[in-house]
Amino acid sequence: MPSETLWEIAKAEVERRGSNGSEGDGVETGEKSVFFIGSKNGGKTTIILRCLDRDEPPKPTLALEYTYGRRAKGHNIPKDIAHFWELGGGTSLLDLISIPITSDTLRTFSIVLVLDLSKPNDLWPTMENLLHATKLHVDKVIMKLGKKNAKAVSEMRQKIWSNMQKDHPDRELIDPFPIPLVIIGSKYDIFQDFDSEKRKVICKTLRFVAHYYGASLMFTSKSEALLLKIRGVINQLAFGIDKSKSTCVDQNKPLFVTAGLDSLSQIEYQHTKRCQGPCKRPSIC
């Protein structure tokens, strides 16, 4: 019963906002949406508040939260608007994923998956369940949109593939997520004290998943320098600011890999060059 109540509240809120917004195809110049999903208590709200320059303590996200930000482009020019959605509850409220992602919003939508690096045993199930549920719904919306506007769907696919060079050696081996995806590993300050072998396996796994889905990958913590990097990436999704080209794949430092700049050979090399002797864990390596 409580989940039905949450669903009704969230659905009513989206409909209310929709009725106050634009009509027609639902796409306005300068409007984008960013949907934060991920680990429970993983730091999603903190990242959003930091991106919006809001100096306030984060509150627990109970179901589906919404806020927005504006950014001036110039004198007498309409401000860009970014809609920020946040799914609470980790993987317990997957049904709510379908609310903000519609055929009207899909073309300007991005996903940010925040994973709590301090809980390595929860990383894979959280990532797998959330990405699977999100992709399943996005694929359905794309099919619906394609029946009305095949050109829009074609342009979306071209945009996703544009992150990877045409001569990239892995181009035939990956399956990009249908909309822009960023994977953020939070609480790096705790993760950096883990055993070296554990960090190596986690870094390799997350790099592989991000590369396969054509996503950007980065680690963050309470460090102001790391938060500024994350803010830059989110601003790129929300306001179209130029994408960073910096890269860090050293497992002893916070990872920062922009979509399309990694490769399977580099991921494997970063692992094998640190291996001592024959690999004893082929299921992981």
Side-chain angles (χ1 to χ4, degrees):
M1 187 64 181
S3 61
E4 293 178 357
T5 303
L6 291 174
W7 175 273
E8 291 169 359
I9 292 173
K11 187 174 182 180
E13 178 66 10
V14 172
E15 290 174 349
R16 183 184 70 80
R17 295 184 188 282
S19 65
N20 293 334
S22 62
E23 297 179 355
D25 65 3
V27 178
E28 288 190 1
T29 303
E31 289 202 28
K32 297 180 183 294
S33 298
V34 184
F35 191 12
F36 285 76
I37 59 178
S39 305
K40 186 176 182 179
N41 300 319
K44 299 183 293 295
T45 305
T46 299
I47 294 173
I48 293 174
L49 291 174
R50 187 67 182 81
C51 291
L52 295 176
D53 278 332
R54 294 183 185 172
D55 186 15
E56 57 187 78
K59 299 176 182 178
T61 304
L62 300 178
L64 188 65
E65 297 283 347
Y66 169 86
T67 189
Y68 68 94
R70 298 176 185 270
R71 181 176 181 272
K73 294 190 291 186
H75 185 61
N76 290 333
I77 300 177
K79 293 181 179 180
D80 287 333
I81 300 175
H83 305 280
F84 292 91
W85 295 90
E86 180 186 353
L87 180 70
T91 60
S92 64
L93 298 169
L94 296 179
D95 285 345
L96 297 180
I97 287 174
S98 63
I99 292 179
I101 307 177
T102 68
S103 56
D104 289 337
T105 62
L106 188 65
R107 281 170 281 176
T108 56
F109 218 93
S110 301
I111 301 293
V112 176
L113 173 64
V114 181
L115 299 172
D116 187 344
L117 295 174
S118 71
K119 299 178 180 178
N121 293 335
D122 295 335
L123 282 176
W124 185 262
T126 298
M127 177 170 57
E128 186 176 37
N129 289 332
L130 285 169
L131 288 182
H132 175 74
T134 304
K135 188 175 186 300
L136 197 63
H137 176 67
V138 170
D139 286 342
K140 289 180 181 179
V141 176
I142 287 177
M143 286 185 62
K144 180 180 178 181
L145 178 61
K147 293 178 181 179
K148 297 188 300 182
N149 194 338
K151 181 181 178 181
V153 172
S154 176
E155 290 174 350
M156 285 176 58
R157 287 174 178 155
Q158 290 177 13
K159 184 178 179 181
I160 289 298
W161 277 103
S162 68
N163 289 326
M164 178 167 283
Q165 296 179 354
K166 292 184 178 180
D167 59 350
H168 195 290
D170 302 337
R171 196 172 175 87
E172 301 299 322
L173 303 175
I174 67 170
D175 183 19
F177 208 73
I179 57 179
L181 171 66
V182 170
I183 300 176
I184 297 176
S186 64
K187 303 185 182 180
Y188 175 78
D189 49 327
I190 299 175
F191 175 77
Q192 66 181 346
D193 294 328
F194 283 5
D195 173 75
S196 175
E197 183 66 19
K198 180 178 288 188
R199 282 189 284 109
K200 179 169 61 180
V201 172
I202 292 173
C203 288
K204 175 184 170 70
T205 301
L206 292 179
R207 282 181 65 190
F208 173 79
V209 172
H211 182 57
Y212 179 79
Y213 280 122
S216 295
L217 170 67
M218 54 215 61
F219 289 174
T220 189
S221 66
K222 297 178 181 178
S223 161
E224 184 65 20
L226 291 180
L227 286 172
L228 281 174
K229 277 191 171 184
I230 295 299
R231 180 182 175 181
V233 172
I234 303 304
N235 279 340
Q236 191 277 323
L237 297 177
F239 300 112
I241 296 173
D242 291 343
K243 186 183 299 184
S244 171
K245 296 294 184 181
S246 64
T247 299
C248 178
V249 294
D250 187 344
Q251 71 171 46
N252 297 309
K253 298 178 180 179
L255 293 183
F256 192 100
V257 189
T258 303
L261 297 185
D262 212 344
S263 69
L264 295 176
S265 60
Q266 288 179 358
I267 295 171
E268 187 63 27
Y269 172 71
Q270 287 291 324
H271 167 66
T272 55
K273 76 173 184 176
R274 292 189 177 89
C275 276
Q276 300 298 322
C279 186
K280 299 179 181 179
R281 293 198 281 177
S283 61
I284 295 177
C285 302

